[in-house]
Amino acid sequence: MATKSMNTSTLLLSFAALAAVSARADQNFFQFGLWAPDAQIIKASDDVKGLRLDIVYGENKNVSGLDLGIVNTTTGNFAGVGYGIANVVDGNASGLQWSWLYSKTGAEFKGWQAALFSHIGGTGTGLQGGIVSLADGDFTGLQYSFYNQSDKLFTGVQLGFVNNAQNVHGVQIGLVNLTKDLNGIQIGLGNYIASAETLKLLPFVNWKF
């Protein structure tokens, strides 16, 4: 019991020392928190460049580096690796955004976003996957999920059971493929191109160039 108490005390002292150094530095390189905004070392309105550990819920303005926790929230921009149950970025994000449950970038995303539910609010470049993947803006790259949706121009490959896109330049591969306009190929059991003059719906393969 004494050893466990000593280890706990040592850990707490280490966090306190890191907090003191970070508070004196021009840039906050370490964040540790239980629940934002009160139970965390660095204020929610400040930036973190380095390591952020969020035991339950953490929030900061701009974050770059390694972001670990249950719920990681960035109200500004994020660059680096975000890993947890949920990662939410209100601004732009670049790097890796991996979550067990929910990944969201409110604006532009560049990198790899993966979760059961993935959502990009602006333009996206790279990889997006999970159970459900949504891209509100233009997306370039690979979208791989049971359900993929791209609301504007999609350039690349959509791979899933259901692929739904507004405008595709590339390939849709799935059980059901839906698009308003296509410059490429659809491969699946049901393939629908709304803008096709004839044969809008075809089994197995459909195309339009």
Side-chain angles (χ1 to χ4, degrees):
M1 293 295 293
T3 302
K4 289 183 178 179
S5 298
M6 186 177 295
N7 290 337
T8 301
S9 299
T10 302
L11 183 61
L12 292 173
L13 286 172
S14 298
F15 284 137
L18 283 168
V21 173
S22 183
R24 291 194 300 266
D26 292 335
Q27 295 180 346
N28 301 312
F29 68 88
F30 178 74
Q31 167 72 300
F32 176 79
L34 296 175
W35 191 274
D38 298 322
Q40 61 181 33
I41 294 170
I42 307 302
K43 292 188 300 182
S45 58
D46 288 347
D47 299 343
V48 175
K49 295 183 178 181
L51 173 63
R52 181 168 69 163
L53 297 176
D54 303 320
I55 300 303
V56 180
Y57 169 73
E59 180 180 315
N60 287 100
K61 185 176 181 181
N62 299 301
V63 176
S64 58
L66 182 59
D67 199 11
L68 304 175
I70 294 179
V71 178
N72 308 312
T73 301
T74 303
T75 57
N77 300 321
F78 177 83
V81 176
Y83 183 82
I85 301 298
N87 290 285
V88 178
V89 178
D90 292 340
N92 300 323
S94 60
L96 306 179
Q97 195 182 38
W98 292 342
S99 309
W100 288 97
L101 183 62
Y102 182 59
S103 287
K104 179 186 177 181
T105 296
E108 182 181 10
F109 180 82
K110 294 181 179 180
W112 186 1
Q113 186 189 63
L116 290 179
F117 185 90
S118 299
H119 184 199
I120 299 173
T123 60
T125 303
L127 307 176
Q128 186 187 29
I131 301 299
V132 175
S133 292
L134 304 177
D136 294 345
D138 296 343
F139 187 91
T140 301
L142 171 64
Q143 210 178 31
Y144 64 98
S145 297
F146 284 95
Y147 178 79
N148 297 305
Q149 180 173 314
S150 179
D151 290 340
K152 292 189 178 179
L153 174 62
F154 181 90
T155 304
V157 177
Q158 274 190 324
L159 180 63
F161 279 88
V162 177
N163 299 308
N164 185 11
Q166 182 76 6
N167 189 349
V168 176
H169 285 200
V171 181
Q172 287 182 311
I173 303 174
L175 189 65
V176 176
N177 299 304
L178 307 167
T179 185
K180 183 176 181 180
D181 196 19
L182 174 70
N183 185 0
I185 298 174
Q186 293 175 319
I187 301 173
L189 185 61
N191 305 290
Y192 179 77
I193 307 170
S195 64
E197 294 181 3
T198 60
L199 300 176
K200 295 178 183 290
L201 178 63
L202 282 176
F204 308 123
V205 178
N206 204 353
W207 63 93
K208 183 174 180 289
F209 295 96

